[in-house]
Amino acid sequence: MTIGVGRRHLMLGAAVAVSLLAVVETTVALVAPSRAPTDADWVAAGAAVRAGFRPGDLIVAAPAWADPILRVQLGDLIPPEIAARMDDDRFARVWEVGQRGAQAPLSPGGTTTVDERFGRLRVRLVERPAEIVNYDFVARWADAQVSRRDASGVVVACTLAGERVICPAPGNNSLHRQLVEVDQKLREALLTEPVAGAAVVIEFPAVPLGRALVIATGLHDTWMRKAARGTVEARLTVGDQTTELPVTSDDSGWTRTRIDTTARAGQTVPVRLEITSAAPSDRFFAFAAEARR
Amino acid sequence: MKRLSPRRADWLITALLAFGTVVWLLAVEGRQGIGRDEAQYMRAGERYWGWFSELGDNLAHGRPGRSLTPSDIDRYWSDNAPDHPVVMKALYGISWRAFHSCSCMGATHGYHPVPIPARHTTLPLFSRDSTAFRFPAILFAALLVGLVYRFARGWLPRAPSAVAAVLTLAQPHFFFHAQIACFDAPIVTMAFAVGFGYWKSLRSPRWGIATGGLFGVALGVKHNAWLIPFFLVAHYLWMRRGDLRARRLTPIPLVFVAMLVLGPLLFFAHWPWLWVAPAARTRAYVLRHLEHEHYNFEYLGYNFNQPPTTAAMKWLRATAPFVETGLTVPVTTLALAAIGAGVLARRRRGAPVDPESEQAEAPTAERPSWLRPGADVDRAPGAFVLFQTLGPMAVLAVPSTPIFGGVKHFLAAMPYLAVMAGIGLAAIGRALREVLTDVRVRWRPAAVMPAALALLVCLPALVETRRSHPDGLGHYNLLAGGFAGGASLGMNRQFWGYSVLPMLPDLDRRVPENRRLYWHDTLSDAISMYKRDGRLSLEVGDTGFGEEGIKRSEIGILFYEKHWTKYEAWFWQYYGTTRPIAVRAREGVPMVTLYERGAR
């Protein structure tokens, strides 16, 4: 039995197309492994970055999944507080070690002042206007005055005990600085737990304001996010200006909120964060904040 | 020289394909690490062997009843129960007992889950214990490849049938599972065997009975077998849709009766653990899987570990089996399968799948019969392949279904996808042959073009599969961009902690730090097996699980999966560094990181 001429031509076209596809797929499969950067490429790129590195510089990998290999070469220049930074905005100089044409998601406006290739790697130095931090809430965590206010308005003060602020029973909540995991990324943050029927109040009494206060929030720990679905509500009061922060949930990730404080720039004011949750079980609320000039 | 009959030629090709599968898998399985689940199944298999061994002793002493007491049964068979039935695990244990090279009374004597009273007499086919455990799984993969050829031969000429068989094996994710002592590849074999038997039963009552038995074995391999009847019934109802139109009762076929009767009987008979409390333990087994936890799994940049709650995430989650298929199966195979699907869709009722088909699809009988329910109707081969391919995927597309195994959860679709690819190849090969017939006089090499095409379409699948090994779980196809493309898309890279194997020599050298080694997701059973295999010094330590394990350790490894991120924070915190001392990567994509306390 033979097939019709039209259909035969269609099938013949398919045969040609499939044959070409097979050749391309085979070729790519054979060639692709050689497109990966070699150890020598990483060593050379690492040496170049190290030679030009200045304290305060940020080093990133592009794509981000190459970060562990980057840290093999340059991990001593990427301490935990930099690796788990709140965001990239405070860095004026960013070294990017990229491959396969990928670029790190840096904010626009920078100038590339170094651009060199080391085998399959490309090293770029991007210099850009950076935000200057007046007050880093995570670094200054010991300034925090923590209390718990129940529904009837009774306030219980919490006390500093070693590396954390601890509140008394029945809440037994605490505040401490920790490397947290939010949305499967590490962040240097302050960690606390909301309490049933009460508000956890964290006040930094004297914060020198600049033009903006940036706060990022999220829920810590994949397994805890899996264990419960409750949300956390947070309200930030800067001086007498109160802002309701986005609701923090299992799916909200690391959410940044930028509050314009231009009108109060230069003033030193108290900043208070109030945290509540109707379902606080297994909720580990993490936040980091900076007052920026 | 005597020419082979067509029947013998087919058997020879079947045997060659199966043998080739065994050789390929045995040649490479040693580079494949031992995963969490696999290590548990090896342990359980050896323990089950202990029961058989004791039964032999009891029989020899005329007291077989001792092996059937609840306490004796539970001593051996409660391992890995109620999680999984025991057909494969028992085979793994028996294979180990039969084929390992025994050094059982040596230094690793204490690493066995059951006491070893004396040196084993074995047929020492394999130098590593783990290979002996894996051998039955490899044989099942070979059986599948042979079955696919036999099934496809019913519809197709030899070359495309053989291509379908090759393309079944030459898929990186299936290949990964085909060589390990788990159940995900063996259940594909059994699902296909049941499907094949069902297809033959439509016109042969003998196969109706046999398929009931095959279904019983499938139930003993893995719980995925519960789904098989749904896909077969779907096809059956479609095939006999004329009954509905004519408002007459559809005959209940022998095959379904046999599956209903023999399936549960064999399932119960094969699993001694059930004998102790049949109802309660069967219920525990069923609930174990109906209420299965959603383990973590990365898909398109999201970590899924519970059913999605928003509409957008439900839709995204529903795409998983289809997108994963599209990004993991070699693209040439997918293209051929698409052509094959088109051929099946355009087939006229009663016409053969291929003009050169051995099987006629047109009715061969006037009246319906429960013994031959496919004799009086067109057997609807397109619907059959469609339901067997899309059925397993559709189940995994339901957002409330756990997806933690990725492609392995719907691997049963893959042999049928490969059959469709064979159908596609047959169609374009025939067109090519007809065109070349006209020009052959002028260009003689044209005569080999169809055969060359058959070889050519296997090439990318074979090369991709070879490239993927031993990290098939992290491999993605041309569309995704390989390992790196998969990582950039946020696709799962690995699970089960198997990928440490290539690092073992390095870990072994790091004395004395390796006396306090944190193994992360590598299960202690896997570490024991590495030691039994002689791939790891017995002195290498294991500091245990989680944060405390990292605190106690001097060096430690971390597998890259999204949900393990916080473990890296513990390394940074307790080791005082963010700088790993080594990263095991595939094509630049990190798989495992090695940290050392205080490294700068």
Side-chain angles (χ1 to χ4, degrees):
Chain A
M1 189 172 119
T2 57
I3 53 180
V5 174
R7 194 157 170 229
R8 185 200 286 180
H9 284 156
L10 184 68
M11 285 296 165
L12 200 60
V16 173
V18 167
S19 301
L20 284 174
L21 176 61
V23 170
V24 169
E25 191 173 17
T26 304
T27 307
V28 170
L30 291 170
V31 170
S34 65
R35 288 193 61 220
T38 63
D39 289 348
D41 295 343
W42 278 106
V43 169
V49 172
R50 195 175 289 278
F53 183 83
R54 291 185 206 157
D57 286 1
L58 174 66
I59 311 170
V60 297
W65 48 253
D67 177 64
I69 305 177
L70 173 78
R71 280 186 282 110
V72 170
Q73 300 301 326
L74 298 164
D76 55 319
L77 304 179
I78 311 173
E81 61 273 18
I82 300 293
R85 60 200 174 275
M86 181 175 84
D87 60 28
D88 298 347
D89 294 348
R90 63 152 74 177
F91 299 94
R93 287 161 46 94
V94 181
W95 294 91
E96 177 198 80
V97 184
Q99 58 180 292
R100 303 167 197 268
Q103 294 197 348
L106 302 172
S107 51
T111 307
T112 302
T113 56
V114 174
D115 192 343
E116 292 181 79
R117 289 201 168 272
F118 300 91
R120 295 290 180 183
L121 291 174
R122 179 186 183 194
V123 171
R124 289 199 308 147
L125 171 62
V126 178
E127 299 194 52
R128 58 190 192 156
E131 301 213 77
I132 296 168
V133 177
N134 274 1
Y135 190 89
D136 180 340
F137 288 70
V138 175
R140 303 288 296 271
W141 73 276
D143 295 350
Q145 295 170 356
V146 185
S147 59
R148 195 176 65 228
R149 190 183 66 237
D150 69 18
S152 59
V154 176
V155 175
V156 178
C158 310
T159 53
L160 183 64
E163 294 296 306
R164 60 178 60 206
V165 179
I166 297 176
C167 301
N172 288 321
N173 55 306
S174 67
L175 176 84
H176 65 282
R177 181 177 180 173
Q178 185 177 315
L179 278 173
V180 298
E181 175 264 302
V182 178
D183 206 16
Q184 284 86 40
K185 290 189 182 68
L186 294 180
R187 307 287 181 182
E188 177 94 356
L190 299 181
L191 188 66
T192 189
E193 309 95 48
V195 176
V200 175
V201 181
I202 302 162
E203 181 165 315
F204 292 80
V207 176
L209 294 180
R211 287 184 188 165
L213 192 150
V214 179
I215 182 167
T217 61
L219 289 180
H220 164 60
D221 196 331
T222 290
W223 279 273
M224 295 301 108
R225 290 195 297 275
K226 179 179 180 178
R229 297 297 299 171
T231 58
V232 179
E233 288 73 41
R235 196 163 58 164
L236 186 72
T237 303
V238 180
D240 55 2
Q241 177 193 352
T242 298
T243 305
E244 298 288 342
L245 298 181
V247 172
T248 304
S249 69
D250 288 330
D251 306 318
S252 60
W254 185 245
T255 307
R256 281 197 327 156
T257 303
R258 186 182 183 90
I259 297 164
D260 186 350
T261 57
T262 309
R264 291 174 168 270
Q267 297 179 15
T268 298
V269 301
V271 173
R272 191 172 69 249
L273 183 66
E274 289 190 25
I275 298 156
T276 57
S277 175
S281 174
D282 294 322
R283 306 290 75 180
F284 290 85
F285 181 81
F287 69 96
E290 290 173 356
R292 291 174 174 172
R293 201 176 294 167
Chain B
M1 200 167 114
K2 196 174 172 184
R3 200 177 163 82
L4 277 177
S5 68
R7 188 180 160 82
R8 285 194 172 179
D10 278 332
W11 277 113
L12 180 64
I13 294 169
T14 306
L16 285 173
L17 286 165
F19 181 70
T21 302
V22 171
V23 169
W24 191 11
L25 291 174
L26 277 179
V28 299
E29 66 78 29
R31 289 175 55 211
Q32 184 73 69
I34 297 168
R36 290 179 67 86
D37 289 24
E38 185 183 24
Q40 296 181 66
Y41 304 152
M42 289 172 171
R43 181 200 67 219
E46 190 170 347
R47 192 161 279 152
Y48 299 165
W49 165 254
W51 184 81
F52 289 114
S53 176
E54 191 178 284
L55 177 64
D57 291 344
N58 286 335
L59 280 169
H61 291 88
R63 54 186 192 209
R66 282 195 184 181
S67 290
L68 301 174
T69 60
S71 64
D72 209 74
I73 285 174
D74 279 353
R75 185 145 55 96
Y76 295 102
W77 296 98
S78 59
D79 195 338
N80 198 237
D83 295 51
H84 293 292
V86 297
V87 165
M88 294 312 299
K89 285 178 286 183
L91 288 176
Y92 299 148
I94 291 166
S95 172
W96 166 77
R97 175 60 188 84
F99 301 126
H100 73 285
S101 303
C102 187
S103 56
C104 321
M105 302 308 288
T108 57
H109 183 247
Y111 286 78
H112 295 263
V114 288
I116 309 290
R119 192 177 187 284
H120 293 125
T121 303
T122 67
L123 178 64
L125 292 182
F126 307 113
S127 60
R128 285 187 298 269
D129 279 19
S130 59
T131 311
F133 279 109
R134 287 173 167 179
F135 190 47
I138 289 170
L139 292 180
F140 265 68
L143 179 62
L144 174 67
V145 169
L147 284 173
V148 169
Y149 175 76
R150 304 295 302 184
F151 179 80
R153 267 301 278 142
W155 291 344
L156 303 173
R158 287 201 178 90
S161 300
V163 167
V166 171
L167 295 183
T168 298
L169 180 64
Q171 298 181 30
H173 286 244
F174 177 78
F175 191 79
F176 172 91
H177 293 287
Q179 59 200 276
I180 59 177
C182 291
F183 319 127
D184 301 293
I187 190 59
V188 177
T189 303
M190 289 315 302
F192 193 82
V194 172
F196 193 175
Y198 160 83
W199 181 256
K200 291 180 91 72
S201 80
L202 295 175
R203 291 182 179 176
S204 163
R206 278 189 313 167
W207 278 99
I209 303 287
T211 304
L214 288 171
F215 181 59
V217 177
L219 286 173
V221 170
K222 202 179 178 193
H223 62 278
N224 306 39
W226 302 346
L227 296 171
I228 296 172
F230 293 98
F231 312 142
L232 299 182
V233 167
H235 166 259
Y236 186 75
L237 293 176
W238 175 260
M239 180 185 75
R240 296 211 60 92
R241 62 194 181 281
D243 295 336
L244 188 67
R245 286 197 195 122
R247 295 173 188 272
R248 64 171 179 255
L249 280 176
T250 297
I252 295 173
L254 173 62
V255 64
F256 291 155
V257 175
M259 287 169 71
L260 193 64
V261 174
L262 292 178
L265 272 178
L266 284 171
F267 173 72
F268 180 73
H270 99 284
W271 196 356
W273 180 77
L274 294 178
W275 303 346
V276 175
R281 291 188 171 187
T282 302
R283 179 182 151 80
Y285 167 62
V286 171
L287 289 180
R288 172 80 179 91
H289 295 287
L290 290 183
E291 298 172 352
H292 203 291
E293 183 188 354
H294 287 243
Y295 298 144
N296 294 279
F297 194 77
E298 188 177 357
Y299 172 61
L300 289 179
Y302 293 95
N303 183 65
F304 287 88
N305 62 11
Q306 53 188 348
T309 52
T310 64
M313 291 305 285
K314 283 179 183 173
W315 278 109
L316 180 77
R317 162 65 192 75
T319 63
F322 309 106
V323 171
E324 284 169 358
T325 300
L327 297 183
T328 59
V329 176
V331 183
T332 306
T333 305
L334 289 173
L336 284 171
I339 295 168
V343 171
L344 286 169
R346 287 177 57 95
R347 185 192 70 94
R348 289 204 190 93
R349 196 180 300 179
V353 170
D354 185 273
E356 296 168 43
S357 264
E358 290 182 352
Q359 288 178 15
E361 298 308 329
T364 57
E366 295 273 319
R367 292 176 177 280
S369 155
W370 74 294
L371 294 175
R372 294 179 179 80
D376 62 318
V377 291
D378 177 276
R379 284 192 292 182
F384 178 70
V385 173
L386 182 79
F387 285 125
Q388 309 317 308
T389 308
L390 292 185
M393 292 186 194
V395 172
L396 269 293
V398 177
S400 59
T401 310
I403 54 167
F404 54 81
V407 177
K408 90 182 176 85
H409 283 175
F410 53 88
L411 275 179
M414 297 310 166
Y416 292 100
L417 198 75
V419 169
M420 276 199 281
I423 294 169
L425 175 67
I428 61 175
R430 192 169 53 256
L432 193 61
R433 203 166 55 237
E434 289 181 8
V435 170
L436 293 175
T437 305
D438 302 337
V439 298
R440 200 177 288 173
V441 178
R442 282 171 279 161
W443 191 46
R444 293 184 66 84
V448 298
M449 291 284 277
L453 180 64
L455 289 174
L456 181 62
V457 297
C458 288
L459 204 56
L462 292 167
V463 171
E464 283 282 38
T465 302
R466 183 176 178 277
R467 173 190 175 194
S468 72
H469 188 69
D471 297 295
L473 296 184
H475 179 270
Y476 292 87
N477 67 15
L478 177 70
L479 297 175
F483 284 97
S488 293
L489 287 169
M491 300 297 280
N492 178 266
R493 229 176 280 179
Q494 58 185 320
F495 48 80
W496 285 343
Y498 71 90
S499 56
V500 69
L501 176 65
M503 299 176 82
L504 292 185
D506 182 32
L507 293 175
D508 215 32
R509 272 194 298 272
R510 294 183 183 273
V511 179
E513 294 83 3
N514 66 10
R515 272 42 175 172
R516 288 199 287 164
L517 202 161
Y518 173 73
W519 284 94
H520 191 204
D521 201 25
T522 310
L523 208 63
S524 60
D525 291 310
I527 300 166
S528 288
M529 192 55 66
Y530 289 138
K531 290 179 176 179
R532 282 171 62 175
D533 280 350
R535 298 200 262 205
L536 199 60
S537 301
L538 302 186
E539 294 77 20
V540 172
D542 174 10
T543 57
F545 293 112
E547 186 175 5
E548 290 305 312
I550 295 176
K551 268 188 195 173
R552 285 190 291 263
S553 63
E554 283 298 316
I555 55 174
I557 58 170
L558 176 74
F559 293 93
Y560 279 99
E561 291 179 68
K562 257 183 174 295
H563 64 284
W564 296 127
T565 303
K566 77 172 183 180
Y567 283 60
E568 187 144 41
W570 288 331
F571 276 114
W572 294 0
Q573 185 179 343
Y574 297 120
Y575 280 23
T577 181
T578 63
R579 187 177 195 174
I581 54 172
V583 174
R584 191 198 152 227
R586 279 307 302 274
E587 298 183 13
V589 177
M591 306 293 284
V592 192
T593 284
L594 175 61
Y595 280 99
E596 182 176 27
R597 187 178 289 275
R600 294 287 173 191

